[in-house]
Amino acid sequence: MVVQAEEGLITASARILVATAVPAERDAVARAFPTAGRLPSAGRFPTAAREVRLPGALLCRTGAGPDLLAAGVGPALAAASTAGALTAAGLQGDRYGLVVCAGIGGGFQPGAPVGSLVVADAITVADLGAETADGFLPVTELGFGTITHRPPASAVRAVAEATGARTGTVLTVSTVTGTADRAATLLERHPGALAEGMEGFGVAEAAAAHGVPVLEIRAVSNPVGPRDRAAWRIGDALAALTEAFGKLAPALESWKPV
Ligand SMILES: O=C(O)c1cccc(C(=O)CC[C@H]2O[C@@H](n3cnc4c(=O)[nH]cnc43)[C@H](O)[C@@H]2O)c1
């Protein structure tokens, strides 16, 4: 597989790490790689898969497909787990060429209806900063760090074309949005936001620290807004994730030089 991204050449030997939050999401991605084997009756992984114990996380090496990591819920644990996997690969001299954060997420309405797929052109942390009397200040305005990672545009396009995903900002939050007011505030601050999740920025920080490009793909399981558990469609979103990854392997192969 040869992929040219803005960040550099990803070669035929490049491996892909897919970081989800929970095992159910990881297994939804695994189901898209039938060449890796059948799901064993007693197990969760394709038969060709091998489990590698890493500090704080279990890595599933599918062989034919990408490596899969259930990295944990929230930006901090997802960053720690992803960094561990990237470090382990680097120490073995077998670095990853791409990290993909994938999972279910909330969709801002009407841009990202439940059941739709979103690929991030910006991975932005929404609540890292300071609350002041005059409103929220992002951490960058306090003189620290970054709040946005930008995936390679050519890769984002390839994913969108192959899967039909909508393209926009995916926000990372530490607290799931639960009111219409909060959703409106987030959209006012981030007019390009289509979805929110809890891991993307953490995964992206780890990838950036290792100089590896990152993507984020979210299948929308619920609307962002007033809390309504009856409106969750987690099964449908997991199925959409499987379908998306089924279309992704050829898309990655067809990425063109920028
Ligand atoms: O209790 C609630 O109201 C509630 C609403 C949505 C999601 C949750 C979760 O605990 C799931 C967190 C998990 O799933 C991703 N996720 C899914 N939907 C959203 C969302 O609307 N906003 C943020 N994250 C979401 C997230 O990436 C976590 O991995 C609870």
Side-chain angles (χ1 to χ4, degrees), residues 24-221:
E25 294 166 321
R26 174 201 59 200
D27 295 349
V29 174
R31 282 193 284 276
F33 297 94
T35 53
R38 296 174 308 280
L39 287 169
S41 53
R44 302 151 300 175
F45 300 143
T47 47
R50 196 160 58 82
E51 293 181 16
V52 180
R53 166 71 46 202
L54 299 174
L58 192 64
L59 182 74
C60 172
R61 305 198 69 172
T62 63
D67 287 358
L68 308 176
L69 183 72
V73 172
L77 184 53
S81 303
T82 304
L86 292 171
T87 299
L91 289 173
Q92 288 161 6
D94 199 10
R95 282 166 47 87
Y96 291 103
L98 178 69
V99 176
V100 183
C101 175
I104 63 171
F108 287 94
Q109 303 306 308
V114 171
S116 66
L117 198 70
V118 175
V119 57
D121 59 7
I123 300 170
T124 297
V125 64
D127 48 14
L128 186 63
E131 206 67 60
T132 77
D134 298 322
F136 176 77
L137 284 181
V139 75
T140 43
E141 290 187 32
L142 305 173
F144 304 115
T146 184
I147 56 166
T148 293
H149 291 279
R150 293 195 186 278
S154 59
V156 173
R157 264 196 313 275
V159 171
E161 281 166 16
T163 64
R166 295 148 202 249
T167 302
T169 300
V170 177
L171 299 179
T172 301
V173 294
S174 291
T175 304
V176 173
T177 299
T179 65
D181 273 2
R182 178 65 179 161
T185 300
L186 288 173
L187 270 183
E188 200 177 307
R189 283 188 201 143
H190 307 281
L194 278 184
E196 73 169 33
M198 303 179 79
E199 296 78 27
F201 187 75
V203 171
E205 286 278 71
H210 284 261
V212 181
V214 66
L215 290 173
E216 182 172 7
I217 299 170
R218 291 275 165 193
V220 176
S221 56

